[in-house]
């Protein structure tokens, strides 16, 4: 996390710092600011925001007024910052960028989870994250009540359509993965239709991802597997559709939108 914060600070300050604030204040000028939530939402990123100010100035005091993961109403002060005015102003945008982005992801994830959880379905994320921010964005998904599908290509096997096309079929793909890794990794296979579902079952897949399938085909897939193999739905999952998809009886729903399309939560920092 700290490396990501350092990169973000360097992007904003480079080697010169905040040249506007440096012209207006000295390092001895002290101040206090409040961080204000301006719309309802689920808060994520307070420890990241704190690290922004602490990396800039160990003397800055960052005091959360709510707990990470809280659902908070608009017009709530979520943190206070005290210390050198220059340090507060240098860290302002970077801290807010992290807070707004991560809280937006947590808030959107919470909305999906709220609609899927009554059916016992787990909402999972994807690898559709901003470059360099995957660790933090997937953290925000967990704060929102979702689960991480996989961190990257290195920690889970998912045989996708391009693998299947290039290697010559689902059966061949599953066999080669088993030969390489044995039982080290569960083998998940992405399928586009019910014929491919049958192939994946025959090949011994551990979990099947139903990609961009119609609702009636998802229901049929649940009937075919009868609980023998966990099913995951992906593609075209919206807040409007997630409830009816969850009601089919699948086990997981993966949603790229919770990271790649979550709107930033409206949060500001105000000197007081």
């Amino acid at each position: 996390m700290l490396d990501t914060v350092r990169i973000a600070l360097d992007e904003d300050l480079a080697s010169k710092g905040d040249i506007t604030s440096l012209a207006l204040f000295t390092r001895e000028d002290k101040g206090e600011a409040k961080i204000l939530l301006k719309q309802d939402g689920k808060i994520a990123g307070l420890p990241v925001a704190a690290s922004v100010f602490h990396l800039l100035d160990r003397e800055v005091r960052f005091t959360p007024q709510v707990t990470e993961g809280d659902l908070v109403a608009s017009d709530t002060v979520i943190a206070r910052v005290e210390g050198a005015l220059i340090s507060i102003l240098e860290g302002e945008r970077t801290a807010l960028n992290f807070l707004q982005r991560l809280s937006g992801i947590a808030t959107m994830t919470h909305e999906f989870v709220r609609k899927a959880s009554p059916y016992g379905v787990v909402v999972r994320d994807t690898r559709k994250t901003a470059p360099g921010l995957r660790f933090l964005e997937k953290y925000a998904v967990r704060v929102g009540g979702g689960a991480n599908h996989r961190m990257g290509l290195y920690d889970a096997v998912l045989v996708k359509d391009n693998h299947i096309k290039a290697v010559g079929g689902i059966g061949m793909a599953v066999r080669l993965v088993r030969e390489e890794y044995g039982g080290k990794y569960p083998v998940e296979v992405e399928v586009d239709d019910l014929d491919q579902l049958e192939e994946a079952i025959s090949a011994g897949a551990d979990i099947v991802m139903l990609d961009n399938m119609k609702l009636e085909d998802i229901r049929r897939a649940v009937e075919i597997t009868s609980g023998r193999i966990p099913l995951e739905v992906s593609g075209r999952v919206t807040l409007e559709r997630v409830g009816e998809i969850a009601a089919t009886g699948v086990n997981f729903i993966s949603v790229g939108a919770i990271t790649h399309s979550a709107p930033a939560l409206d949060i500001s920092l105000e000197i007081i």
Side-chain angles (χ1 to χ4, degrees):
M1 177 185 76
L2 291 181
D3 287 343
T4 302
V5 173
R6 287 189 183 98
I7 291 169
L9 285 170
D10 185 61
E11 182 177 67
D12 210 26
L13 301 173
S15 61
K16 293 185 176 181
D18 176 3
I19 60 174
T20 306
S21 293
L22 287 167
L24 299 175
F25 311 108
T26 71
R27 292 287 178 185
E28 285 68 45
D29 292 326
K30 306 299 182 183
E32 181 180 355
K34 62 182 180 181
I35 296 180
L36 181 67
L37 179 66
K38 301 170 82 171
Q39 68 182 104
D40 297 351
K42 199 168 186 68
I43 300 303
L46 290 169
V48 187
S51 73
V52 169
F53 293 107
H54 292 161
L55 283 173
L56 283 170
D57 184 345
R58 296 295 298 177
E59 299 302 314
V60 170
R61 183 178 177 186
F62 182 92
T63 309
Q65 305 296 298
V66 298
T67 301
E68 185 85 341
D70 278 356
L71 277 170
V72 179
S74 179
D75 295 322
T76 297
V77 174
I78 62 173
R80 295 187 181 276
V81 190
E82 300 172 75
L85 273 169
I86 290 176
S87 299
I88 293 173
L89 294 169
E90 283 183 332
E92 173 185 0
R93 176 42 53 197
T94 300
L96 289 177
N97 283 348
F98 282 120
L99 276 172
Q100 290 179 289
R101 176 69 179 156
L102 300 182
S103 296
I105 290 171
T107 299
M108 182 177 248
T109 301
H110 172 74
E111 291 301 311
F112 275 91
V113 169
R114 185 174 61 83
K115 292 192 174 186
S117 59
Y119 302 97
V121 176
V122 176
V123 173
R124 304 210 284 194
D125 57 20
T126 70
R127 289 168 41 244
K128 297 174 183 176
T129 55
L133 295 180
R134 180 170 296 170
F135 176 84
L136 290 177
E137 291 187 356
K138 283 180 171 280
Y139 161 76
V141 168
R142 297 195 302 274
V143 172
N148 298 146
H149 184 271
R150 53 178 179 165
M151 291 304 295
L153 296 174
Y154 59 87
D155 62 340
V157 169
L158 174 55
V159 179
K160 295 174 68 68
D161 54 351
N162 284 331
H163 297 122
I164 294 165
K165 290 176 185 176
V167 82
I170 290 173
M172 177 64 74
V174 173
R175 182 173 67 80
L176 290 173
V177 169
R178 296 283 192 212
E179 288 177 359
E180 180 69 21
Y181 301 117
K184 183 177 181 180
Y185 301 106
V187 179
E188 183 169 5
V189 176
E190 177 187 89
V191 303
D192 299 325
D193 55 44
L194 296 176
D195 288 338
Q196 284 192 327
L197 172 64
E198 296 284 7
E199 287 183 60
I201 294 170
S202 298
D206 297 302
I207 178 172
V208 175
M209 177 179 284
L210 311 175
D211 188 50
N212 283 300
M213 282 194 182
K214 295 178 181 178
L215 195 62
E216 55 265 33
D217 288 336
I218 295 172
R219 292 192 182 104
R220 180 64 184 139
V222 172
E223 293 174 1
I224 290 170
T225 54
S226 299
R228 292 174 294 155
I229 299 175
L231 295 175
E232 178 168 10
V233 170
S234 71
R236 297 184 300 194
V237 180
T238 64
L239 272 173
E240 292 72 30
R241 295 188 68 229
V242 67
E244 63 181 9
I245 293 171
T248 63
V250 297
N251 305 92
F252 307 99
I253 299 176
S254 58
V255 187
I258 57 178
T259 50
H260 71 62
S261 295
L265 217 59
D266 192 358
I267 303 173
S268 67
L269 181 147
E270 300 174 6
I271 298 293
I272 54 177

